[in-house]
Amino acid sequence: MIKQFIRKFKPSYELYNLFKRSELEHNLSKYKKYGLSKKYYSSVSSQDFEGLNSPLNIHDRLDTRDTLPTQLEFQNLSVQRQNELLTWSEKGYVILKHFFSPERVQQINTEVENLNRTGKAKWVGNKMMFAIHYSDIMLQASADPELMKIINLIMGKKMELFQSINFLTGSEQRTHSDSFHMSTFPYGNIIAAWIALEETSAENGPLHYYEGSHKLPYIVNKDFGNAGTSLFLGNKLYSDYEDKIASILEQHNFERKILLAEPGDVLLWHSNLLHGGEPHRNKELTRKSLVTHYYAEDAICFHEVTQRPTLKRKLEFPSL
Ligand SMILES: O=C(O)CCC(=O)C(=O)O
């Protein structure tokens, strides 16, 4: 009961945030830019942006089929990669086949085993969180220069690595969008990469996603009666959010796709693309994957789900 109260009472985490200035001050100049008088430690959510115009990124405004071919970085890619990227605007995702070599995939998998063996891995449930902060191999894979080039191209701006999550099994997560968890203002300034570290099949909990669903309005707390007050978060459950997404999907006819990936394949998805994990039917099998998220440098970053600003820890890139 008391724990529940503290979790919902905004000033309790604002107090915690007070001591995290270096990880939170990234939002300050952007609050100013959008005319918001907010402290670095303050709660922040979609309600703060009501009435503000949220400018669209280039590839939410224009079609990648028209814009990408004019870019030098795009012209320098192989024809296969070019073809993979062209439908980003229409579909809300792209699949980069065999992006990471078998050797690189092996290196990442060995690293996961090492992190586990040495007790360095930090697991939250079945997710190894933020290994980029304690593994150079994971950091280099997640911020791979070729991958960053492609991500910057399709977002039309400079993106920066924020998070990594390693999975050994399927998440079996119900359908959701990233934008509710890792949110930005203007909306749409985060992108995810899902990196296959082994083959996925109907047996080991592959990813599913709804083609074109990124064009739906962004779902925020208020849309399922969870706005809360200036002092408290709303009272709804996370499952109420998931139910809301399910009901939206029922009203549309998006194609549900299942990602049957080969090791080294990378799926990039739009922050508003609805996706989740299929049942992991054969528990004898693993489903190794690495999910990474990238925020735009010029956006306010927060978590709509908890109404907190994003704590951004500096990444320590190894010197070459
Ligand atoms: O890998 C999965 O099963 C789902 C991952 C996912 O939904 C996410 O990272 O947002």
Side-chain angles (χ1 to χ4, degrees), residues 174-193:
R174 284 180 70 191
T175 307
H176 61 280
S177 79
D178 284 349
S179 65
F180 185 62
H181 301 82
M182 279 156 282
S183 325
T184 60
F185 187 83
Y187 293 100
N189 276 296
I190 183 156
I191 183 172

Side-chain angles (χ1 to χ4, degrees), residues 118-298:
T118 55
K120 268 188 156 187
K122 297 187 176 78
W123 291 93
V124 177
N126 68 345
K127 300 175 177 184
M128 190 204 286
M129 299 303 295
F130 285 105
I132 47 174
H133 288 302
Y134 48 90
S135 157
D136 286 348
I137 287 174
M138 223 60 83
L139 179 57
Q140 278 163 340
S142 306
D144 177 88
E146 270 312 297
L147 186 61
M148 292 310 303
K149 237 186 251 173
I150 290 177
I151 283 173
N152 291 341
L153 247 180
I154 58 186
M155 293 298 286
K157 54 165 68 175
K158 192 150 173 17
M159 305 297 289
E160 57 183 18
L161 175 64
F162 166 61
Q163 187 191 49
S164 69
I165 312 173
N166 284 84
F167 292 87
L168 290 180
T169 56
S171 71
E172 304 190 314
Q173 226 176 312
R174 284 180 70 191
T175 307
H176 61 280
S177 79
D178 284 349
S179 65
F180 185 62
H181 301 82
M182 279 156 282
S183 325
T184 60
F185 187 83
Y187 293 100
N189 276 296
I190 183 156
I191 183 172
W194 192 101
I195 302 166
L197 298 176
E198 67 182 335
E199 198 175 313
T200 59
S201 72
E203 293 304 300
N204 67 349
L207 189 80
H208 70 249
Y209 51 95
Y210 288 85
E211 185 167 311
S213 59
H214 64 301
K215 293 182 182 166
L216 286 167
Y218 287 82
I219 295 301
V220 296
N221 282 306
K222 167 180 104 177
D223 296 315
F224 62 104
N226 195 39
T229 65
S230 57
L231 282 183
F232 287 96
L233 299 180
N235 276 322
K236 296 285 185 185
L237 301 172
Y238 184 71
S239 57
D240 293 317
Y241 163 75
E242 294 172 322
D243 290 346
K244 175 73 189 176
I245 296 294
S247 78
I248 291 171
L249 281 170
E250 273 168 25
Q251 295 158 28
H252 292 84
N253 209 11
F254 296 114
E255 193 182 344
R256 181 183 172 99
K257 299 261 191 184
I258 307 284
L259 181 68
L260 300 178
E262 295 178 287
D265 289 353
V266 175
L267 173 83
L268 298 176
W269 72 68
H270 189 285
S271 65
N272 206 32
L273 189 85
L274 297 176
H275 66 278
E278 291 290 290
H280 190 134
R281 294 209 179 96
N282 184 346
K283 303 287 185 208
E284 312 265 286
L285 300 174
T286 53
R287 197 223 59 187
K288 299 176 191 162
S289 59
L290 167 62
V291 179
T292 48
H293 292 99
Y294 308 82
Y295 274 123
E297 283 187 344
D298 62 354

